[in-house]
Amino acid sequence: MKAYIYTETEEDQRMPHESGIFKTVEDLKELGLHYWRLEGDNITEQIDAIAAERSYKNRDEITVSAAAMGAIYEEKVKSFFKEHLHEDEEIRFILDGSGYFDVRDKNDTWIRIQLDKGDLLVLPSGIYHRFTTDESDYIKAMRLFKEDPKWTPINRPEADDNKFREQYLNTLSSAA
């Protein structure tokens, strides 16, 4: 995992956009994110332990690539890159490949988080974020859910008055 301030350029969203200003796991924790690096022969057991601790009941797998998605790939990658939030945590364990999650910090600046095989990231409900594959155009991830699998994005600015957004912002305020 590598996290840094995202530099806005005209380059494709799948390019690194690296500013040289890096963020730590502690910086991400202050935004409500959780991160684990899972390695070894017992990865399934490690995921099961995290799932039990955080009350994740369901999981599935998704492959984001042109080969897996066919003609809708480019359209899907662009839709994942629209700034949005979810009313549930977003949990991803990278099984193969790599990609980027961008999250908004307290100053509304984009923080880019590069994830690779073995990385597990939890985004809190209510945080504005977006996702894209990287230049490899391939990522396979396990998605974990507290209840039945659902992935309902609420785009910005429609979500500005969302109660989960307000709860998230209150959490940031009380942590300061």
Side-chain angles (χ1 to χ4, degrees):
M1 188 276 297
K2 179 164 72 170
Y4 51 86
I5 300 227
Y6 175 92
T7 299
E8 296 282 349
T9 70
E10 295 301 316
E11 288 184 310
D12 187 279
Q13 68 193 40
R14 292 168 276 211
M15 300 300 287
H17 293 266
E18 193 174 305
S19 65
I21 303 169
F22 296 95
K23 297 294 180 175
T24 66
V25 171
E26 284 303 315
D27 294 328
L28 299 180
K29 223 179 250 189
E30 288 178 13
L31 298 175
L33 283 73
H34 299 277
Y35 170 79
W36 292 265
R37 175 74 188 163
L38 306 183
E39 299 176 305
D41 295 332
N42 66 340
I43 287 177
T44 300
E45 290 84 4
Q46 292 176 60
I47 292 171
D48 290 345
I50 293 166
E53 175 187 321
R54 298 189 62 81
S55 301
Y56 303 147
K57 298 177 186 144
N58 294 297
R59 59 185 80 171
D60 68 10
E61 293 181 8
I62 184 171
T63 301
V64 180
S65 71
M69 301 175 98
I72 66 165
Y73 171 71
E74 288 294 333
E75 176 186 329
K76 277 293 188 189
V77 168
K78 285 185 181 9
S79 75
F80 296 154
F81 202 63
K82 289 183 180 152
E83 184 172 5
H84 63 278
L85 62 76
H86 301 285
E87 294 183 343
D88 296 306
E89 290 183 340
E90 184 162 342
I91 307 102
R92 299 293 180 267
F93 173 65
I94 309 306
L95 296 163
D96 197 22
S98 52
Y100 301 112
F101 273 94
D102 297 340
V103 298
R104 291 284 190 183
D105 72 5
K106 294 176 184 178
N107 299 314
D108 219 28
T109 301
W110 284 117
I111 304 297
R112 174 153 278 194
I113 305 165
Q114 178 183 341
L115 297 176
D116 299 292
K117 182 178 179 179
D119 291 330
L120 190 152
L121 184 68
V122 177
L123 304 179
S125 63
I127 191 171
Y128 279 127
H129 66 281
R130 59 191 184 188
F131 169 79
T132 187
T133 53
D134 60 16
E135 297 166 89
S136 72
D137 285 320
Y138 170 77
I139 193 167
K140 182 177 182 181
M142 176 186 293
R143 304 185 301 179
L144 293 100
F145 305 91
K146 289 196 176 202
E147 299 298 332
D148 291 331
K150 68 177 183 177
W151 186 88
T152 307
I154 304 169
N155 291 337
R156 193 176 195 181
E158 292 82 20
D160 285 346
D161 295 326
N162 179 281
K163 73 177 182 177
F164 291 90
R165 177 68 182 163
E166 290 172 6
Q167 288 170 359
Y168 172 71
L169 292 174
N170 289 337
T171 301
L172 289 181
S173 297
S174 63

